[in-house]
Amino acid sequence: MGRRSVPKIDPNLDLSRHLFALEQIDQPFDPRAVFGRPGALQIEVGSGKGLFLRNAAAADPEGLFLGIELAHKYARYAAAQLAKRGLANAALIDGDALAFFSRWLADRSAQAVHVYFPDPWWKKRHRKRRVMNEGFLADVERTLQPGGTLHFWTDVEEYFQSTCELIARSTSLLGPFPVAESPADHDLDYRTHFERRMRQHNEAVFRAEYRKGPVGDTASP
C-alpha cells in the first residue's frame, strides 16, 4: 500500500522547535541543540505521519524522541502534530536517515532505533535501495548504547527474513527477540498508521527486536 496524502497544516503553528533540516544540524549531533537538554535518545527512521513519535513522547516525557523523514510533506506534518500537542521532547529531521547515522551520530549515542514498515523496494534491481542494508546496520550497532535496542517491523515476509539473516551475518546484535501483537484499545492505538492499516485489513505484520550486548559480547540469545 502506498502513502496517502496528508491533511493541511495550520499555518499559524510554530514548527521551529519541532522541524529541522538535516543541513541545519551541527556535527556531531547534540540532543541539546534540538531539545534543549540531554536525555535518553530514541530515533525513528522514516516517521511518516508521526504516530509513533507522538505516542512515545507523550508516554515518556523524560525521554527524547527524534524522527527522520525523507519526504518533506510528511516531515512537516509529523512536526506539526508534535507542535500542536506541545510535545517538547520530540522533533523531526527532514532529510536522509542513512547520512544522519553515518555522519552525524556519535558512537553509543542512542538508546533505541525504530524502523517501522520501510519501503520494501519490490523489484530485485532496486533492493540495494532498502534502508536495512549492511552499512546502515553497522551504523545502528555502532551508535546504540550497550543494552540499546533495534526495533524492526515490516509487512513483507521476504524483507523480514532477509534482514534477520543480514543482521545475524553482519552484526553482533542479540536477537531476534519476538514481539507480541498487542490488542488495540482505540482506533489509533497502533505503533504507526501503517500498522493500523495492515491490521484492519487482516494483513500479517512481522516484528523483531534486537539488543546490543556489552562490548565484545557476541553470545546468542
Side-chain angles (χ1 to χ4, degrees):
M1 296 183 185
R3 284 184 160 186
R4 297 177 177 177
S5 61
V6 295
K8 291 184 178 180
I9 297 171
D10 181 351
N12 296 315
L13 275 175
D14 178 7
L15 304 186
S16 62
R17 295 183 59 186
H18 294 93
L19 181 64
F20 300 85
L22 182 57
E23 295 74 18
Q24 289 180 263
I25 306 296
D26 291 334
Q27 298 180 26
F29 176 72
D30 184 346
R32 291 172 294 185
V34 170
F35 301 105
R37 63 177 175 87
L41 179 66
Q42 300 196 40
I43 304 169
E44 183 186 22
V45 174
S47 297
K49 294 180 181 178
L51 182 60
F52 166 73
L53 289 179
R54 299 199 300 271
N55 289 340
D60 181 10
E62 296 304 313
L64 303 179
F65 297 88
L66 183 68
I68 309 174
E69 175 56 55
L70 188 60
H72 179 68
K73 67 178 181 179
Y74 281 90
R76 282 186 58 80
Y77 179 81
Q81 294 304 303
L82 299 176
K84 184 178 179 180
R85 291 162 175 78
L87 293 168
N89 63 327
L92 263 292
I93 290 179
D94 182 352
D96 183 355
L98 300 187
F100 180 72
F101 269 79
S102 66
R103 293 160 48 195
W104 271 265
L105 275 183
D107 295 358
R108 304 183 195 178
S109 58
Q111 182 185 62
V113 176
H114 303 262
V115 186
Y116 299 122
F117 304 99
D119 192 327
W121 292 105
W122 291 101
K123 294 181 180 179
K124 191 172 183 179
R125 69 178 184 272
H126 292 160
R127 289 183 183 176
K128 61 184 178 181
R129 301 178 185 177
R130 287 178 170 179
V131 68
M132 300 298 276
N133 60 49
E134 189 169 347
F136 172 67
L137 291 169
D139 278 324
V140 169
E141 184 172 20
R142 175 183 62 81
T143 56
L144 279 177
Q145 301 166 355
T149 54
L150 167 64
H151 305 264
F152 171 54
W153 295 14
T154 178
D155 60 312
V156 181
E157 185 173 14
E158 177 276 325
Y159 196 1
F160 182 79
Q161 296 297 343
S162 63
T163 298
C164 289
E165 292 169 6
L166 180 60
I167 292 173
R169 186 171 66 248
S170 64
T171 80
S172 298
L173 296 174
L174 308 178
F177 299 96
V179 180
E181 182 172 289
S182 301
D185 291 334
H186 53 80
D187 188 51
L188 287 178
D189 188 22
Y190 298 93
R191 189 62 60 101
T192 71
H193 284 94
F194 204 97
E195 186 206 4
R196 176 177 176 270
R197 290 168 62 189
M198 291 298 100
R199 289 177 59 180
Q200 289 183 348
H201 285 84
N202 295 315
E203 299 287 345
V205 174
F206 303 93
R207 305 169 174 84
E209 177 183 317
Y210 288 85
R211 300 173 197 151
K212 183 174 179 178
V215 176
D217 185 352
T218 59
S220 300

